[in-house]
Amino acid sequence: MAVRIAMVAGEASGDLLASHLIRAIKRHLPDAEFFGIGGPKMQAEGFDVRWPCELLAVHGYVDALKRYRELSGIRKTLLSQIRRERPAAFIGVDAPDFNLWLEGKVKRAGMPAIHFVSPSIWAWRGGRIKRIAQSVTRMLCLFPFEPQIYDRAGVPVSYVGHPLADVFPLHPDRAAARELLGLNAGRKVIALLPGSRQSEVRNLADTFITTAKLLLARRSDITFLVPLATRETRALFEEAIHRNDVAELPIRMLFGHAVEAMTAADAVLVASGTASLEAALLKRPMVITYRIGKWQYRLMKRLAYLPWVGLPNILCNETMVPELLQDDASPDKLADALEAWLVDTAAVAHVVERFTELHLTLRQNTAEKAAAAILPYLTGSDEWKLSRQPA
């Protein structure tokens, strides 16, 4: 009889990660069947999508509260299906606010509950470790410093590396990226990434444009690239250009092509998030920035455990690149920090060296390692049987 696995992936990033995992598991168990909440990439691997993963995309606390009843109903219905169909395991891919509750119920029902992508308990909300210990059978971590946190809490854990490190080349071809984008070889290039969400672009677009204006006043040899993920975010950035009356600025907006833009750039101005990790894997010097509501920033700062918010600095455990957040995210300070990367070749060389070391640490063949950690739970091995015995 085919092994059946229930899964929940949230948003597009979870869909991609889960699709790679499904493919890796099927290399070992070709007849394995998967069902639950997922996206088109998972569906292309044979996943039975009972609800689309876009339903789990919430933007901020207010949106989460508004949709609580809808999401709670979906989660309870899926739990009923899992209890009835008794899959070999449940795998929650990211989306911890949705998945941890479900994983706890699945685990108590006698099925293994595996969580893929550790919540950022090392950054804030560390109290969740107790809930995680009660909810999951095994945690799969993307970052090398995370397993020790779970070891201390008695949670079975595996380090599987980061999938982006498998995909991105160790030595990016900047010349090819510039040729692809039709860039003048003699000009400096700065990539501006104000975020993928509309709220991020609203908060940062004016600041990014004013920063570009200041830089151009200092140096006339700069081209700015602005990759934007959606029509909505592009429209918001275009409105900011018109509002600031800078139509003559050498800004090229791109539909997507964020990786190519960062690869081609001499420096990157990036909203804190996964894009900053992408910039690090592309070995690019950067300035990390962010702006949110004042009360939300105060709350998150009070709950934060680390001196950094950017993944490149957190993973290197030192300030490799500047972080200018909230009130410090002024156009003057951002322009100064970006210009420094254009002139300090020694600092750029050091960043390239450290980010190459980081890339090698994160490159672990993530999907295959994750599948290897999960397989014992799918095949009824002694390891899984022993883990169910009372201590």
Side-chain angles (χ1 to χ4, degrees):
M1 196 167 84
V3 171
R4 305 195 73 239
I5 303 156
M7 295 180 77
V8 170
E11 302 191 44
S13 59
D15 179 34
L16 178 62
L17 198 58
S19 69
H20 292 167
L21 178 58
I22 291 170
R23 194 179 313 147
I25 290 173
K26 282 189 170 183
R27 281 196 284 271
H28 299 273
L29 301 172
D31 297 327
E33 298 174 354
F34 301 81
F35 71 91
I37 299 175
K41 289 183 172 61
M42 295 165 70
Q43 192 168 31
E45 299 297 333
F47 186 84
D48 176 10
V49 177
R50 299 187 180 178
W51 292 272
C53 65
E54 289 82 2
L55 286 173
L56 304 191
V58 295
H59 306 295
Y61 297 119
V62 175
D63 188 32
L65 287 171
K66 285 181 180 177
R67 300 189 54 217
Y68 175 78
R69 185 174 294 180
E70 173 197 2
L71 294 175
S72 179
I74 291 171
R75 191 164 55 181
K76 288 176 180 176
T77 303
L78 177 58
L79 177 61
S80 296
Q81 294 177 1
I82 291 170
R83 283 172 169 164
R84 183 174 64 251
E85 298 179 36
R86 303 294 300 182
F90 173 84
I91 305 171
V93 182
D94 211 357
D97 291 327
F98 187 94
N99 277 326
L100 286 174
W101 179 92
L102 199 52
E103 286 158 2
K105 299 289 186 183
V106 168
K107 184 180 178 183
R108 283 189 284 277
M111 292 169 276
I114 297 149
H115 193 87
F116 190 9
V117 184
S118 168
S120 301
I121 55 172
W122 36 267
W124 67 302
R125 287 177 69 186
R128 285 192 292 179
I129 191 71
K130 294 179 182 177
R131 181 186 174 198
I132 292 169
Q134 295 169 349
S135 300
V136 307
T137 307
R138 179 166 290 272
M139 177 65 69
L140 307 182
C141 295
L142 304 189
F143 300 128
F145 60 82
E146 293 175 319
Q148 60 184 334
I149 300 171
Y150 291 99
D151 281 335
R152 286 197 299 266
V155 179
V157 62
S158 299
Y159 169 55
V160 298
H162 201 289
L164 286 177
D166 295 328
V167 174
F168 284 19
L170 193 60
H171 303 289
D173 191 337
R174 292 184 61 215
R178 288 190 171 215
E179 184 178 353
L180 177 69
L181 295 173
L183 297 167
N184 186 322
R187 292 181 67 83
K188 296 294 184 182
V189 177
I190 291 180
L192 306 175
L193 284 88
S196 58
R197 294 191 174 99
Q198 293 181 48
S199 59
E200 292 171 325
V201 177
R202 285 193 188 95
N203 285 336
L204 292 173
D206 290 313
T207 298
F208 276 34
I209 289 165
T210 307
T211 299
K213 189 175 179 181
L214 289 173
L215 277 168
L216 195 66
R218 301 176 189 181
R219 307 179 56 118
S220 60
D221 63 339
I222 300 178
T223 295
F224 300 94
L225 302 177
V226 188
L228 295 158
T230 65
R231 291 183 179 84
E232 291 78 12
T233 52
R234 183 187 177 99
L236 287 169
F237 204 88
E238 285 177 338
E239 288 170 13
I241 288 174
H242 296 313
R243 185 166 57 247
N244 287 278
D245 193 24
V246 287
E248 299 306 312
L249 267 179
I251 289 180
R252 282 183 54 191
M253 286 192 292
L254 307 172
F255 194 72
H257 296 291
V259 170
E260 292 82 358
M262 286 190 283
T263 303
D266 293 284
V268 178
L269 178 58
V270 59
S272 177
T274 303
S276 68
L277 177 60
E278 292 179 346
L281 292 173
L282 294 167
K283 323 304 180 299
R284 291 297 80 211
M286 74 190 86
V287 177
I288 296 171
T289 189
Y290 211 73
R291 248 200 208 124
I292 54 178
K294 287 185 178 180
W295 70 268
Q296 191 177 357
Y297 180 74
R298 287 173 186 160
L299 175 64
M300 291 186 72
K301 194 168 184 181
R302 191 161 60 243
L303 294 171
Y305 301 135
L306 298 174
W308 311 284
V309 301
L311 281 170
N313 291 332
I314 291 169
L315 289 165
C316 292
N317 198 34
E318 63 176 302
T319 304
M320 292 301 304
V321 299
E323 295 185 1
L324 295 170
L325 313 173
Q326 211 65 4
D327 293 339
D328 283 333
S330 69
D332 282 321
K333 290 182 179 179
L334 294 171
D336 288 344
L338 286 166
E339 189 177 23
W341 287 124
L342 300 182
V343 298
D344 194 341
T345 55
V348 171
H350 179 60
V351 160
V352 171
E353 181 182 0
R354 289 288 282 115
F355 285 168
T356 301
E357 293 170 0
L358 173 62
H359 196 152
L360 290 168
T361 301
L362 296 177
R363 180 177 274 187
Q364 298 287 323
N365 194 0
T366 295
E368 190 58 42
K369 268 203 166 182
I374 292 167
L375 283 171
Y377 300 98
L378 305 180
T379 56
S381 75
D382 289 341
E383 178 185 339
W384 163 233
K385 292 173 185 174
L386 287 171
S387 72
R388 298 181 67 187
Q389 299 302 314

